[in-house]
Amino acid sequence: MPRLRGSGLSVVPSPLVSTSGLTVRYGETTVLHDIDLHVDPGEIVTIVGPNGSGKSTLIAAILGGVPPVRGRIDRAPVLRIGYVPQRLVLDPTLPMTVERFLGLPRRVPAARAREALERAGVPDIGRRQMAALSGGQFQRALLARAILEEPHLLILDEATAGLDQPGSAAFYERIEEVRAETGCGVLMISHDLHVVMSASDRVICLNGHVCCEGTPEVVAAAPDYRRLFGEGTRGALALYRHHHDHTHFHDGPCDHAHEQDAAR
């Protein structure tokens, strides 16, 4: 894993996190059954699946919030995790700037806060009120806070919920840039199937168990995936892969416009 100058990000063993035979129950209901997965440094792994498939439960188990009834979770020593939740509800009447939000629960030097916001793609919102942010800006602020942890592993749980498709695509391209800049591993779940899969190195299709796993193209062609999400998903993914392969933020004005849309 590369070390980003001034970031404190250091090499950790591979894999960053892995599960073996992970099984989780809520009462008498088995939500996850025999889940094997791993995330290595520098790779983006996406978990997709229908509602109720156990995606958020899997993330909660990896974060230590849900105990498994069977199996194990192994984390690399001194692993630092940055987490971007699906949503965070703040009292809209509470006066709080973005810079102040980034400094909770402990103060953060202004220079570090600015660097995190710049890396998250919203360098100019530090003095704005959290309550005044758009949906895309709010999620970027959450991303900046996660980046402040200098994570070896960045975990995102439906982080683009409520964003439109261009905003979601721009957010995931920003995640790719963060990965490239820091060398961190990324584990994320999303309902934006084609957009998020196009940004992934590896995809895990979950429905209580691992239905299929592999590159986006392999998973999109898998019978289990197509049964869950429909026959048209493979062609839609191909379209997004084509767009992604030829579009980067530094290449032209269209990408800049997407970035601006996400930050509005």
Side-chain angles (χ1 to χ4, degrees), residues 99-139:
E99 288 181 351
R100 175 60 177 154
F101 171 74
L102 295 181
L104 297 176
R106 59 187 182 276
R107 293 182 66 88
V108 173
R112 284 196 64 211
R114 287 194 297 270
E115 180 185 5
L117 288 171
E118 183 173 355
R119 215 176 276 173
V122 281
D124 301 322
I125 69 169
R127 296 187 181 277
R128 296 190 61 182
Q129 293 290 319
M130 290 292 294
L133 300 180
S134 68
Q137 290 169 334
F138 193 93
Q139 290 306 106

Side-chain angles (χ1 to χ4, degrees), residues 24-60:
V24 176
R25 293 194 186 106
Y26 291 139
E28 297 300 316
T29 303
T30 299
V31 181
L32 296 173
H33 177 67
D34 286 338
I35 304 298
D36 296 339
L37 67 80
H38 69 277
V39 182
D40 291 327
E43 74 168 339
I44 296 178
V45 178
T46 295
I47 302 169
V48 300
N51 291 337
S53 61
K55 301 186 298 296
S56 291
T57 297
L58 177 57
I59 293 298

Side-chain angles (χ1 to χ4, degrees), residues 1 3 30 32 51 54 61-62 65 72 77 85 90 123 129 131 146 172 179 183 214 223-224 228 230 248-249 264:
M1 179 192 297
R3 181 184 178 93
T30 299
L32 296 173
N51 291 337
I62 289 173
R72 58 184 292 166
L90 296 178
Q129 293 290 319
Y172 290 126
R179 184 268 301 268
D224 283 342
L228 286 172
H248 302 278
F249 285 136
R264 284 185 184 133

Side-chain angles (χ1 to χ4, degrees), residues 52-91:
S53 61
K55 301 186 298 296
S56 291
T57 297
L58 177 57
I59 293 298
I62 289 173
L63 291 172
V66 177
V69 296
R70 190 172 64 248
R72 58 184 292 166
I73 302 172
D74 294 307
R75 303 173 186 86
V78 302
L79 179 69
R80 291 193 301 272
I81 295 177
Y83 175 57
V84 181
Q86 180 175 352
R87 61 177 60 88
L88 179 66
V89 179
L90 296 178
D91 185 343

Side-chain angles (χ1 to χ4, degrees), residues 239-256:
L239 172 64
Y240 277 105
R241 292 292 277 191
H242 176 83
H243 171 78
H244 170 73
D245 288 345
H246 293 81
T247 307
H248 302 278
F249 285 136
H250 55 273
D251 285 344
C254 291
D255 303 310
H256 181 63

